[in-house]
């Protein structure tokens, strides 16, 4: 059987010096973004962490953290791992399980946990 | 194929993190706070919340960048470039592993105070973490002879060595009413500097119910409560550091998840470094150059970025929120 994957790989496996420059610029840009996001997270943690804030403020910081994490993850997967350049089918095969299963798992896990928490609180251990 | 492995591995890590979240939401005791638990730097001591994990995160991000640069060099058939960036990646990986070893060691040994079970007053039975500066031990004076020491012997060692004996004795319930039983059976009193800025933060209520709010005890009151527990001779009244049974930072499950999740991730990093070394050897022997493409470098690169990706999530859910 003829292996079409090898042929296809070698088609876009190489690029010229000029394209390389462009790609490297993109890589360093993403590096700067990832570093900046991490720095922001740490500074916020130091001055507005869970030990220092509470209520609505902490709730919004927490969701801010989750959002920043997803942004970082997006950059790593799409640029560093080149998923952004892959074919559509592969992209969806990889991403759809998470949208279906993990979002559901998080939802059901935390809902159940909170129910168990309040049950223990009400009826004792 | 690498993508399919990564998809399943990512599902494994997702499962672990969701299990962590589940446990955290069910537990009644206050969960440890990242910036309180991880506030140390090597050689510099306490007072640098999150700096160390931030450094670890940065190291991993940089090594991910050097890996993507190796892949890019491979696309230009630049063998020297691939080798250069892969070496940088491998060094970054070793740095991360070393950092993690230091962090584990720090986590396992714990602080000088440990956490304390309060034995009297309105918080009886509650457990508190302790902040402040531990007064250094100066010497032990033997008051009852044992195998190696006579009455009146003054044992002078470095504060760290003395503290090591002290910690062991407290854990074994051999410190009682201002006297410590040393491991040779002799009994001694101790001389030490004053504690400074001591603060007890009550985290676990004595009852089965969860805390309405975290209470703090300061100053003389805190010192009295702390040393009452040390001098009680009750095993487990003071917990130092962490193992799989208990830890000074919070509920036991916290320590278990810490060891399992960061350990499992560290194992991935270790495997990644080993694979990178193998591929590096292949590159330096020109195997991939002869083949006409550097696809193998790209595949290991995928795995290496994945390890970074997992750390991004561990960092958020273990240290930040």
């Amino acid at each position: 059987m003829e292996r079409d994957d090898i042929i296809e790989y070698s088609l876009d496996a190489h690029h010229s010096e000029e394209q390389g420059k462009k790609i490297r610029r993109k890589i360093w840009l993403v590096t700067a973004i990832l570093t900046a996001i991490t720095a922001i997270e740490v500074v916020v943690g130091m001055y507005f962490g869970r030990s220092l804030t509470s209520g609505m403020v902490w709730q919004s910081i927490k969701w801010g953290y989750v959002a920043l994490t997803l942004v970082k993850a997006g950059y790593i997967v799409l640029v560093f791992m080149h998923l952004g350049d892959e074919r559509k089918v592969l992209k969806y095969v990889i991403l759809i399980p998470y949208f279906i299963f993990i979002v559901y798992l998080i939802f059901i896990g935390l809902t159940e946990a909170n129910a168990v928490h309040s049950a223990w609180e009400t009826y004792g251990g | 194929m690498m993508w399919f492995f990564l998809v399943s591995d990512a599902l494994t890590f997702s499962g672990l993190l969701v299990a962590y979240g589940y446990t955290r939401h069910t537990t009644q005791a206050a969960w440890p706070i990242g910036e309180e638990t991880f506030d140390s730097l090597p050689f510099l001591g306490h007072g640098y919340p999150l700096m160390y994990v931030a450094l670890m995160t940065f190291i991993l991000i940089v090594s991910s960048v050097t890996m993507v640069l190796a892949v890019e060099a491979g696309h230009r058939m630049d063998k020297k470039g691939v080798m250069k960036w892969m070496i940088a990646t491998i060094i970054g990986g070793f740095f991360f592993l070393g950092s993690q070893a230091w962090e584990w060691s720090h986590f396992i040994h714990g602080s000088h105070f440990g956490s304390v079970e309060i034995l009297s007053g309105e918080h009886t039975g509650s457990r508190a973490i302790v902040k402040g500066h531990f007064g250094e031990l100066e010497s032990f004076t033997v008051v009852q002879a044992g195998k190696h020491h006579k009455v009146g012997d003054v044992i002078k060692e470095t504060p760290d060595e003395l503290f090591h004996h002290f910690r062991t004795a407290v854990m074994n319930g051999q410190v009682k009413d201002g006297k410590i039983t040393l491991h040779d059976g002799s009994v001694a009193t101790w001389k030490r500097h004053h504690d400074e800025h001591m603060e007890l933060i009550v985290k676990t209520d004595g009852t089965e119910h969860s805390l309405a709010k975290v209470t703090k005890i300061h100053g003389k009151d805190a010192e009295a409560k702390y040393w009452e527990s040390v001098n009680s001779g009750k095993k487990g009244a003071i917990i130092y550091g962490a193992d799989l049974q208990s830890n000074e930072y919070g509920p036991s499950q916290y320590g278990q998840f810490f060891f399992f999740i960061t350990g499992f991730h560290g194992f991935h990093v270790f495997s990644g470094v080993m694979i990178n070394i193998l591929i590096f050897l292949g590159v330096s022997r020109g195997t991939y150059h002869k083949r006409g493409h550097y696809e193998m470098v790209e595949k290991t690169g995928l795995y290496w970025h994945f390890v970074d990706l997992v750390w991004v999530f561990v960092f958020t859910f273990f240290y930040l929120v």
Side-chain angles (χ1 to χ4, degrees):
Chain A
M1 193 179 69
E2 199 179 336
R3 286 189 59 183
D4 60 346
D5 56 328
I6 296 177
I7 298 163
E8 219 167 285
Y9 179 85
S10 52
L11 276 179
D12 46 37
H14 299 103
H15 58 240
S16 66
E17 189 61 41
E18 236 161 81
Q19 288 165 307
K21 245 183 212 156
K22 237 197 229 158
I23 292 170
R24 282 197 297 270
R25 200 174 309 139
K26 193 176 181 191
I27 291 171
W28 288 114
L29 181 72
V30 172
T31 313
I33 293 172
L34 291 179
T35 309
I37 292 178
T38 307
I40 292 170
E41 285 176 336
V42 170
V43 170
V44 170
M46 280 164 94
Y47 297 105
F48 306 97
R50 187 151 64 91
S51 53
L52 306 167
T53 51
S54 60
M56 278 304 288
V57 181
W58 170 245
Q59 284 301 317
S60 23
I61 289 177
K62 189 165 81 178
W63 287 106
Y65 275 148
V66 173
L68 287 179
T69 304
L70 291 176
V71 171
K72 278 210 274 189
Y75 272 114
I76 292 174
V77 173
L78 294 179
V79 179
F80 284 0
M81 296 168 90
H82 305 299
L83 190 61
D85 311 329
E86 295 285 358
R87 269 161 303 173
K88 249 191 191 154
V89 180
L90 183 68
K91 223 187 283 190
Y92 291 133
V93 162
I94 290 161
L95 292 178
I96 283 178
Y98 297 97
F99 288 120
I100 299 175
F101 293 115
I102 296 306
V103 173
Y104 174 70
L105 188 65
I106 292 168
F107 164 75
I108 207 74
L110 297 188
T111 311
E112 174 73 5
N114 288 329
V116 170
H117 181 99
S118 56
W120 268 341
E121 196 155 82
T122 314
Y123 304 111
Chain B
M1 274 326 280
M2 185 49 98
W3 270 111
F4 291 106
F5 166 67
L6 293 183
V7 165
S8 72
D9 213 19
L11 290 169
T12 308
F13 272 107
S14 309
L16 285 172
L17 284 172
V18 171
Y20 170 80
Y22 176 88
T23 309
R24 177 169 167 170
H25 278 254
T26 54
T27 189
Q28 305 292 304
W31 204 254
I33 293 176
E35 67 263 21
E36 280 180 6
T37 310
F38 303 97
D39 70 340
S40 306
L41 281 176
F43 314 114
L44 294 174
H46 297 274
Y48 305 93
L50 297 177
M51 288 310 283
Y52 193 71
V53 255
L55 184 71
M56 283 169 70
T57 308
F58 182 68
I59 290 172
L60 211 54
I61 287 178
V62 169
S63 82
S64 216
V65 172
T66 54
M67 190 73 218
V68 86
L69 288 170
V71 173
E72 193 273 331
H75 285 175
R76 286 182 285 111
M77 297 304 284
D78 173 6
K79 184 179 153 190
K80 276 220 175 96
V82 178
M83 283 171 68
K84 179 175 80 180
W85 291 118
M86 281 206 77
I87 285 190
T89 308
I90 290 164
I91 291 174
F94 274 121
F95 260 100
F96 183 85
L97 287 173
S99 312
Q100 201 168 36
W102 184 87
E103 194 189 32
W104 269 48
S105 157
H106 197 77
F107 190 83
I108 290 168
H109 285 112
S111 65
H112 273 58
F113 284 117
S115 76
V116 56
E117 182 187 342
I118 296 174
L119 298 175
S120 67
E122 58 165 327
H123 295 295
T124 305
S126 300
R127 186 162 273 287
I129 62 166
V130 188
K131 292 274 152 190
H133 188 78
F134 185 83
E136 273 183 358
L137 287 159
E138 284 177 57
S139 62
F140 293 145
T141 307
V142 177
V143 293
Q144 191 183 312
K147 255 188 217 154
H148 301 300
H149 300 293
K150 302 191 293 293
V151 173
D153 275 4
V154 177
I155 305 168
K156 274 197 185 256
E157 287 172 42
T158 65
D160 281 347
E161 285 164 349
L162 289 174
F163 178 73
H164 181 75
H165 300 311
F166 188 77
R167 180 186 196 268
T168 312
V170 171
M171 279 200 291
N172 295 333
Q174 287 166 333
V175 171
K176 208 168 168 28
D177 307 325
K179 295 203 178 78
I180 172 174
T181 307
L182 298 172
H183 49 70
D184 70 327
S186 49
V187 178
T189 56
W190 63 81
K191 205 177 145 208
R192 56 190 286 278
H193 295 284
H194 287 292
D195 300 322
E196 281 163 32
H197 316 299
M198 201 204 271
E199 184 182 47
L200 305 187
I201 306 171
V202 181
K203 290 272 183 165
T204 312
D205 203 62
T207 66
E208 292 289 331
H209 295 281
S210 59
L211 280 173
K213 78 190 230 306
V214 173
T215 335
K216 297 186 177 181
I217 309 171
H218 302 272
K220 288 270 168 276
D221 204 19
E223 288 177 28
K225 288 265 180 297
Y226 179 75
W227 286 98
E228 179 194 3
S229 297
V230 172
N231 282 315
S232 67
K234 183 180 172 187
K235 260 192 198 181
I238 308 285
I239 296 173
Y240 294 104
D243 56 29
L244 288 174
Q245 252 84 50
S246 60
N247 65 80
E248 67 170 79
Y249 314 102
S252 59
Q253 300 99 318
Y254 174 73
Q256 292 155 5
F257 273 110
F258 175 84
F259 288 126
F260 196 83
I261 293 182
T262 66
F264 197 50
H265 176 263
F267 174 65
H268 275 76
V269 177
F270 177 77
S271 319
V273 172
M274 292 303 132
I275 296 167
N276 278 346
I277 290 175
L278 284 179
I279 298 299
F280 171 78
L281 291 177
V283 173
S284 65
R285 289 172 57 182
T287 316
Y288 311 123
H289 207 85
K290 263 181 250 151
R291 210 176 278 175
H293 58 76
Y294 281 89
E295 193 183 353
M296 285 309 284
V297 176
E298 206 162 339
K299 280 182 188 163
T300 47
L302 275 183
Y303 178 74
W304 190 251
H305 298 313
F306 171 74
V307 166
D308 184 27
L309 180 68
V310 169
W311 183 255
V312 164
F313 284 94
V314 172
F315 177 63
T316 302
F317 294 112
F318 238 99
Y319 298 93
L320 291 179
V321 305

